[in-house]
Amino acid sequence: MAAVLHLNLSWIPDEPDRVGDLVISRGRDDVLTYDDGINLQVHVIDPASYDTVDDLIASARTEAGPGRVALVAGSVPVEWRAALRHINLSFIDVDGVAEITWPRLRLATRQFARHVVRRRDVVPLQKGHALVAEELLIAAASGAQPSITELAQRAEVSVSTASRAVRQLAEQGMVERKQNWRQVAVRLVDITGLADLLADRTAWPGSEVVTAYAWGRNIWDVAAAISRNAAGAGIEMAITGRAGAAFLGVLGTSSPGEVRCWAALNGRTLPEIAGRLQLEPAPRESANVRMSADPWRIGVHRRADAHFDGWTATVAHPLRVWCDLHGEARGREFASQLWRAARSSR
């Protein structure tokens, strides 16, 4: 055995998979260990985070350094692979293709990942891909079959991002592509599957959250005040979770104990945004507001004003609220009630 590659990726098989002189194994850290005890840190690059292979390569070059190697891992577009080979940038694809060019290690195989989990478990839903998935679900609710260009416009992403997201979903059998004159129409064939995948991968919160306190007569007053402050400060923010569901007409037997919301950073830090919204920092046990950073704008996309009794708040799209409810107490129950509204475009 020449080396063991440990990767902290969900789609790596639980059991070590030996390919030639390399053993690929699930691990807590991304590291390459040679049989003589030398370790190299592995910088894992997800191709789904980039619109073009040139962008990916530029990112990989900035991460180069002593004691460190780069690895492109995920759903690697076939048309990108020649460029990766040209600069000896190693990659592993979820389909089982692995091409490694590292010190003392050369590997080219299509045998890797014989025991990989279901393909749809590795569909990347980040950056603009989640927005494309949301727009597909919204279009399907009305029976529409948008073109890739229309999806890109509605999701506010590039056409290349929309095209790649559709291609990856088509590989899983979730969508069908039909040539319609000069455009490709996209039909969603697995609404429930894509909705569940979207909720599982993108539900609130994101990777960064702040807890705070805002004065209000009740939780609805707090949501309305945050929305007013956001509008006045030019901050993209959207209420979600149980508070958002209530503004959309889905009520529980008791009021939620906190307001959950998304906030687009747009060059600011999350604490700075909280300050602009006049939120007082507070520990989790005394907070009534929890705000999550929204770097890909999945929460604030298609937000709109909604009304509850005498209060008005800026609320995420019903589909987004439906996704975000799944992590709350009794969340699936409330999500079930919201499903009809979530599939309706405003």
Side-chain angles (χ1 to χ4, degrees), residues 10 15 35 38 40 56 73 84 104 123 134 147-148 155-156 168 174 179 200 219 229 242 245 247 267 272 274 311 345:
S10 62
E15 298 181 1
D35 54 6
I38 294 177
L40 295 179
L56 185 152
L84 301 182
R104 299 161 48 194
V123 174
E134 287 187 354
S147 68
I148 290 178
E156 300 178 1
Q168 290 166 341
M174 290 187 173
Q179 189 71 36
D200 179 62
I219 208 70
N229 293 340
R242 281 196 56 199
F247 275 93
E272 287 174 347
W311 294 279
S345 177

Side-chain angles (χ1 to χ4, degrees), residues 195-322:
D196 287 343
L197 184 66
L198 189 66
D200 179 62
R201 299 291 180 80
T202 67
W204 189 98
S207 59
E208 183 183 3
V209 177
V210 297
T211 57
Y213 177 82
W215 184 90
R217 288 171 289 171
N218 52 43
I219 208 70
W220 325 118
D221 195 25
V222 171
I226 296 173
S227 300
R228 288 194 302 271
N229 293 340
I235 292 172
E236 295 181 289
M237 183 279 312
I239 308 296
T240 191
R242 281 196 56 199
F247 275 93
L248 295 174
V250 176
L251 296 171
T253 55
S254 61
S255 300
E258 64 184 15
V259 174
R260 294 185 174 186
C261 50
W262 293 98
L265 299 181
N266 294 328
R268 302 187 181 101
T269 66
L270 199 56
E272 287 174 347
I273 289 176
R276 295 286 297 274
L277 296 179
Q278 302 178 31
L279 299 177
E280 177 184 337
R284 177 70 182 87
E285 58 272 15
S286 60
N288 64 355
V289 178
R290 294 181 70 194
M291 178 176 293
S292 175
D294 188 11
W296 310 129
R297 303 189 76 255
I298 59 174
V300 301
H301 180 66
R302 282 185 174 261
R303 68 194 185 281
D305 285 346
H307 310 284
F308 177 72
D309 286 348
W311 294 279
T312 300
T314 303
V315 180
H317 188 275
L319 177 63
R320 171 48 39 195
V321 177
W322 179 85

